Amino acid sequence: MTLADVAAHAGVSRATASLVLRESPLVAEQTRQRVLASVEALGYVYNRGAASLRMRRTNTIGLVISGLANPFFADLTEGVEEELRPAGYVVLLANTFDDPAHQDMLIRSMMEHQIDGLLIVAAVDSDAGFVTPLRNNGVPHVMTTRRIRGVHASYVGPDDDAGARLATQHLLDHGARELAYFGGPEHGVARIDRVAAMAALLAENGLEPEPSWTVPSRVSSSEGYAMARKLLEHGPPPEAVICHSDAIAFGLMRALRDVGVEIGTGCRVIGYDDVEHAQAWSPSLTSVSVAARTMGRRAARMLMERIEAPGSSPEESLVLRPSLVVRESCGCRPSSAH
Amino acid sequence: MTLADVAAHAGVSRATASLVLRESPLVAEQTRQRVLASVEALGYVYNRGAASLRMRRTNTIGLVISGLANPFFADLTEGVEEELRPAGYVVLLANTFDDPAHQDMLIRSMMEHQIDGLLIVAAVDSDAGFVTPLRNNGVPHVMTTRRIRGVHASYVGPDDDAGARLATQHLLDHGARELAYFGGPEHGVARIDRVAAMAALLAENGLEPEPSWTVPSRVSSSEGYAMARKLLEHGPPPEAVICHSDAIAFGLMRALRDVGVEIGTGCRVIGYDDVEHAQAWSPSLTSVSVAARTMGRRAARMLMERIEAPGSSPEESLVLRPSLVVRESCGCRPSSAH
DNA sequence: CGGACGATTTAGATCGATCTAAAGGAGGCA
DNA sequence: TGCCTCCTTTAGATCGATCTAAATCGTCCG
C-alpha cells in the first residue's frame, strides 16, 4: 500500500498525490478531494521513513538520559515530549544508567537512526569527548541538567550557585551555624558548584561547611539512609543539612528518625529537586525546586530552534534560577494544609 | 558520506561494502579489512533509515504509555528499554496522559514511522477500537499493565485477583473486619477486578467491603489526600484500607496523620505497586508488588517474539502473580532496619 | 586444453517517498 | 488563428541502503 497505489486509485500521478499529502496549494481542490478519498478508501498509511530518506530529515529527536527511575528525569522527559510532539517531532529514548561507554554506543545508535537532533543528560563521569561524533557529523545537540567539564555545547540547566545560596541563606536565617552539604556524585559539577556556593556564603558569615557531613554519595534514598546511619554512630548531626537530592533527604530523615532526632528542630533538612513526594512526606520536605518539566521543555525548544536555524548557530547557554519551596523540614511552621 | 563513498575509497562496489557492514561470510578477509579501514578513515555513519526502507524493518518499536511521571510506568519503561536495546531495537516513546483521542493520534504517528511493533499501556478510558489500525496493518502489538474491556490482543499484566486476595487475607489475618478498597479510576478493569476479588474473599468470611470508603478516585497522592480528608469529616476510617496505588496510600496516610489516627493500629493501610518510596516512608508502606520493571521486560520479550515469528502467532496472555511486601503500615512490627 | 566448480565480486533494480524541470490545457488578447 | 499566460499535472531522477542474478577469477580435473 504505497502512494503509487493511492495515485493509481485516484487517477493521478505519484507527484500529485504527494503534493496533496503535503497540503500543497498547487493542486486543484477537486483533485485534492479525489486523492483524499482514495487515501481513505485504501487505508493508506504514510511512510515517513521513505520520505525522510529523500528529505534528509526524520522529524525524530534523540533523548539520552541517565535513568528514568529518577523521577526528576521522568518529569524532564515528559516536558521534552510535551514540547516536541505538537511540533511534529517524535522522541527516541535511551537510558545510559550513567555508564559513559554505554552512552557512547547509544549516541552512535541514535546517529545511525538519523535523528534530527539530540538532547542529552550526560552520564556523571562522561569523558569530554562524547560530543565529538555529534559535532563532526553536524548533529544539532543540547545538553541539559548536567554540565560536563571540558565540554562545549549548548546547554539548559539550573543555576546551582543560586540554588545553594537560597538554601544556605534560609538556614542561616533560621539561626543555624553548623551547615553541611550531604551526598551527590563526588566529581559531579553540580555538587562541586553547590558546595562552593554554600562555602562562599558561609565564609561571608565567618563560617564554613561541617566537613564530616559534607561528603559525596550515590543518589538514592537507601544510599542516603546508609551513609547517615553510619555518620550518626559517631555523633549528633549538624544543625542543618542541605541534601544533594530529595531522595537522599528522605534517606537522611529516615535515619534521623531512627535515632530519635526531631527533624526541623534537632536537625533542619533541605532537599533538592522538589519531586512530587516532597510535599507528601511527613514532615513535608523543604526543597530547592528546579522545575524539571520546564527545563525539559526549554531544552527541547532550544534544540528545535537550532535544528531549524540555517547554518550553525552559536553555542548558547540557558540557566534557570531555582526557587526554594519552604515546607516543614527546615523548621518552618507547616503552612496551610495542601 | 555514503556507502558509495566508502566503496570508492576501498576500491570495491557498493554491494561488497554493504556485505562487509553486515558481516557476511561471503567477502574475503583481505577485502573486509580494506573496507573496514575505509569506514574508519572516512568516519562513515551507517544510515539505518535507508536500510530500513529496503529491508522493510526499522528495528524500532513504539512504546505508548499513559504517563512517565507515574514511577510505576517509568520503571516499566526502563525494563522495556533494558530488554530491547541489547536485541538491537530502539524505543520510540509517547505519552498519552490518559487521553484516548491523543492515544489514537500517537498510534497513527508510530505507524507512519514504520515501527516494527508496538507496546501499549492503554489510556484508562480507551475505546476498544484503538487496536484496529494496528491489526489492519499487521503491526505486532502487545498490551501491558492495563486490560481494556472488549479488546482482544496479546497482553502482559498483573494478576489483580490474586493481588487483591493477598492484601485482603493479610488484613483479615490481622483481625480486621471492616475493610475498604480506596481509590482508582472508576471504570478501570483493575479496580473492578480487585474490588470483586476482595468482596469475594470477604464474603467467604461473612463480610463485605465498607461502602463509604470503597470509592473511586484519580491516581495521585493529592487526590487521595483530599478524598480521605473529606471522608474523615464524616467519621472515623475503617479498620483497614487497601489503596489502589501507593501514591493514593501516601495521601491517605497523610490525611490520617492530620486527624490523629495512628497508622497500623487506628487504621491499617496497604498500598499497591510497591514503588521505591514505599520502604522509605514512615511508617513504611506494606504494598502489593507487581514488579513493573520485570513486567516491562516480559512485555518487550513477548513483542520481540511476535515480531520475529513468521506468520501471525496466536493471541497470548501472560499474567504475573504479585507478592505482598509486608512492612509497617498494616500493623506488622517493623522488620530489621533497611 | 576446455569446462566445471567454488569463492568473490558486482551491475542494476528496488524500497517509497520528494524534487526538478518541463509538459499540458484553458483562457485572453491581438 | 496564433501566441502568451497562468494554473495544474507529471515523468524521471534522487535519497542510501539491500537484493537478485549474473559476471569474474583462479583452480582443479578429465
Side-chain angles (χ1 to χ4, degrees), chain B residues 98-101 103 122-128 130 146 148 185-188:
Chain B
D98 264 324
D99 172 357
Q103 174 172 278
V124 175
D125 295 316
S126 296
D127 180 279
F130 76 89
R146 292 190 187 149
I148 301 296
E186 181 156 17
H187 303 294

Side-chain angles (χ1 to χ4, degrees), chain B residues 87-105:
Chain B
Y89 288 94
V90 139
V91 178
L92 261 190
L93 179 75
N95 255 352
T96 61
F97 298 103
D98 264 324
D99 172 357
H102 195 196
Q103 174 172 278
D104 289 342
M105 289 193 39

Side-chain angles (χ1 to χ4, degrees), chain A residues 222 225-226 254, chain B residues 279 335-338:
Chain A
S222 50
Y225 176 78
R254 201 146 51 94
Chain B
Q279 78 166 105
S335 56
S336 65
H338 187 72

Side-chain angles (χ1 to χ4, degrees), chain A residues 3 18 22 44 46 54:
Chain A
L3 197 49
S18 175
R22 284 175 290 152
Y44 166 75
Y46 185 65
R54 185 71 236 257

Side-chain angles (χ1 to χ4, degrees), chain A:
Chain A
M1 186 51 36
T2 77
L3 197 49
D5 299 322
V6 172
H9 185 272
V12 299
S13 69
R14 284 187 342 262
T16 303
S18 175
L19 289 174
V20 171
L21 291 191
R22 284 175 290 152
E23 309 189 324
S24 160
L26 285 180
V27 34
E29 179 59 20
Q30 196 190 11
T31 324
R32 208 176 70 83
Q33 297 293 357
R34 199 144 35 90
V35 172
L36 256 25
S38 297
V39 163
E40 198 62 32
L42 300 179
Y44 166 75
V45 176
Y46 185 65
N47 185 331
R48 233 166 253 286
S52 296
L53 178 57
R54 185 71 236 257
M55 292 196 296
R56 341 190 95 258
R57 158 148 205 182
T58 57
N59 288 298
T60 293
I61 79 104
L63 174 59
V64 171
I65 213 170
S66 69
L68 277 177
N70 182 334
F72 183 87
F73 293 130
D75 273 358
L76 183 132
T77 302
E78 278 202 358
V80 167
E81 236 249 326
E82 265 172 20
E83 188 75 18
L84 290 178
R85 181 64 71 168
Y89 287 94
V90 139
V91 178
L92 261 189
L93 179 74
N95 253 350
T96 61
F97 298 103
D98 264 325
D99 172 358
H102 194 194
Q103 175 171 276
D104 289 342
M105 288 192 40
L106 295 176
I107 290 176
R108 172 159 204 95
S109 161
M110 299 246 148
M111 285 174 50
E112 292 186 350
H113 280 276
Q114 311 296 121
I115 46 160
D116 292 338
L118 185 72
L119 279 174
I120 178 162
V121 176
V124 174
D125 296 316
S126 296
D127 180 279
F130 76 89
V131 281
T132 47
L134 296 168
R135 199 197 308 286
N136 287 344
N137 290 81
V139 178
H141 52 283
V142 168
M143 292 177 54
T144 183
T145 311
R146 292 189 186 148
R147 203 153 223 160
I148 302 296
R149 208 173 291 294
V151 171
H152 292 288
S154 286
Y155 173 78
V156 176
D159 184 341
D160 279 320
D161 187 272
R165 282 174 180 270
L166 230 41
T168 305
Q169 188 61 56
H170 186 75
L171 294 171
L172 289 173
D173 290 349
H174 268 297
R177 315 286 296 167
E178 297 164 23
L179 278 73
Y181 186 91
F182 185 64
E186 182 157 17
H187 303 296
V189 178
R191 176 183 156 80
I192 293 171
D193 286 357
R194 293 182 199 164
V195 169
M198 176 191 211
L201 183 47
L202 288 181
E204 291 170 21
N205 291 270
L207 302 170
E208 58 183 29
E210 185 62 38
S212 60
W213 279 72
T214 300
V215 287
S217 78
R218 267 177 295 142
V219 189
S220 75
S221 174
S222 50
E223 183 82 1
Y225 176 78
M227 281 211 356
R229 284 304 295 256
K230 190 165 295 176
L231 287 169
L232 287 168
E233 285 171 13
H234 298 94
E239 290 177 304
V241 179
I242 299 173
C243 296
H244 184 77
S245 72
D246 286 349
I248 292 173
F250 295 142
L252 167 63
M253 292 200 291
R254 201 146 51 94
L256 291 173
R257 191 143 36 203
D258 282 357
V259 299
V261 173
E262 197 186 340
I263 294 154
T265 55
C267 178
R268 302 175 191 277
V269 176
I270 292 186
Y272 218 106
D273 291 350
D274 191 31
V275 300
E276 202 195 339
H277 283 302
Q279 78 165 105
W281 204 268
S282 162
S284 58
L285 178 64
T286 293
S287 185
V288 178
S289 168
V290 298
R293 180 179 307 258
T294 305
M295 218 160 65
R297 299 189 76 134
R298 288 290 151 74
R301 202 177 307 163
M302 183 185 284
L303 181 60
M304 286 193 290
E305 279 163 9
R306 297 181 73 81
I307 290 171
E308 274 141 37
S312 63
S313 21
E315 181 186 323
E316 51 192 325
S317 204
L318 177 61
V319 170
L320 300 178
R321 187 178 168 78
S323 59
L324 184 69
V325 180
V326 177
R327 299 200 183 87
E328 299 165 12
S329 65
C330 57
C332 285
R333 301 254 136 264
S335 56
S336 63
H338 186 74

Side-chain angles (χ1 to χ4, degrees), chain B residues 201-222:
Chain B
L201 184 48
L202 288 182
E204 291 170 22
N205 291 269
L207 301 170
E208 59 182 26
E210 184 62 37
S212 60
W213 280 73
T214 300
V215 287
S217 78
R218 267 178 296 143
V219 189
S220 75
S221 174
S222 49

